[in-house]
Amino acid sequence: MRYAIQVNAGPGAAQAAQSAYQFSKAALAEGHEIVRVFFYHEGVYHGYAKTRPSAPEDRIVPDWAGLAAQHAVDLVLCVAAAQRRGLPEHDPALGFRMGGLGQWLEACLMADRVLVFGDGA
Amino acid sequence: MKKFLFVMRHPPQAGLRVRETLDLILTTAAFDQPVTLLFLDDGVYQLQRDQNPSEPPQVAPLFAALELYGVEHILVEAESLAERGLTLADLILPAASIPRTAIAALISGHEVVV
């Protein structure tokens, strides 16, 4: 199964981003393919965490870069969403690249399933 | 070619998110994919006419682009409207009403649900 993942929630949000990460990790471990992880809305903040925050004992900090390195997952941050939030358009964290909605749509069309984590509008 | 369904559930005060979701919708339509919009729960407020102009953000004008991009399948859940004292006539876009009982079938009829 090929999945496209959309992450709308930022690192501070309660559950959504963590669920996205846990799902991605589990899917890859099962031999599924993740076509792309597209970070939109507050999800773009994941691409700027230069330092790993210290995690409370009951929470796992999503290691997107680690997942990308291990499985060659394409992590894309939406440039426009980053700009709107005053984030730099260049130099995201390791493992991430900047992209646009064309990449999001392409992933939706290439994948067998699209999963969205976090609220939209 | 895949059928996309966008579900809008939050009030306009969600701000950036409404505008950004519209960008997703318009991108999808621009690439000639069939698009359906469903307004549910507080999402119906996004289409409400006469939103207080002194209260940012104004999302209603953003929806004007939908027609330009050929996005015409606009659905509003009947119960969501009724629970908020609204009718289809209060909306800024022509929309069709859909009962709550039909939502599950609508969702399963679309390949991508955002």
Side-chain angles (χ1 to χ4, degrees):
Chain A
M1 187 79 81
R2 294 184 307 170
Y3 291 98
I5 308 289
Q6 181 179 338
V7 180
N8 290 336
Q15 190 66 32
Q18 218 189 102
S19 297
Y21 173 73
Q22 297 285 57
F23 174 85
S24 299
K25 204 166 151 217
L28 289 164
E30 287 289 307
H32 296 293
E33 185 190 333
I34 300 213
V35 166
R36 181 166 292 141
V37 182
F38 189 80
F39 295 83
Y40 202 47
H41 301 308
E42 274 67 54
V44 295
Y45 286 110
H46 289 279
Y48 294 92
K50 296 274 188 191
T51 56
R52 299 272 301 275
S54 58
E57 281 154 19
D58 62 347
R59 187 184 298 189
I60 302 163
V61 177
D63 183 13
W64 291 107
L67 212 61
Q70 211 181 341
H71 298 276
V73 180
D74 188 17
L75 306 177
V76 178
L77 305 175
C78 178
V79 177
Q83 279 176 332
R84 280 190 204 104
R85 288 164 178 79
L87 297 167
E89 299 161 40
H90 308 289
D91 198 27
L94 193 65
F96 292 84
R97 68 178 177 110
M98 306 307 294
L101 296 187
Q103 269 92 44
W104 169 79
L105 186 69
E106 182 191 50
C108 289
L109 296 178
M110 281 165 51
D112 299 310
R113 294 265 191 283
V114 178
L115 296 184
V116 181
F117 293 87
D119 289 333
Chain B
M1 179 90 53
K2 287 189 180 180
K3 294 175 66 177
F4 283 72
L5 173 67
F6 292 88
V7 183
M8 322 284 275
R9 299 184 55 220
H10 298 278
Q13 284 68 30
L16 269 185
R17 282 167 169 260
V18 173
R19 170 163 163 202
E20 289 184 332
T21 300
L22 272 167
D23 283 344
L24 288 180
I25 293 166
L26 295 178
T27 298
T28 307
F31 278 80
D32 294 319
Q33 306 298 309
V35 172
T36 302
L37 267 52
L38 171 64
F39 291 84
L40 202 59
D41 301 331
D42 285 341
V44 301
Y45 287 127
Q46 294 177 26
L47 294 183
Q48 188 182 6
R49 196 187 306 281
D50 296 332
Q51 284 167 37
N52 189 345
S54 64
E55 234 181 66
Q58 286 304 292
V59 298
L62 300 177
F63 287 100
L66 290 175
E67 197 190 348
L68 223 63
Y69 279 72
V71 178
E72 288 161 344
H73 295 125
I74 299 172
L75 301 171
V76 185
E77 194 207 42
E79 286 83 348
S80 295
L81 280 177
E83 284 159 8
R84 288 159 183 78
L86 294 171
T87 66
L88 289 175
D90 296 315
L91 306 180
I92 49 158
L93 288 177
S97 164
I98 177 174
R100 187 163 289 170
T101 49
I103 301 285
L106 177 76
I107 290 175
S108 63
H110 287 80
E111 286 139 295
V112 182
V113 182
V114 177

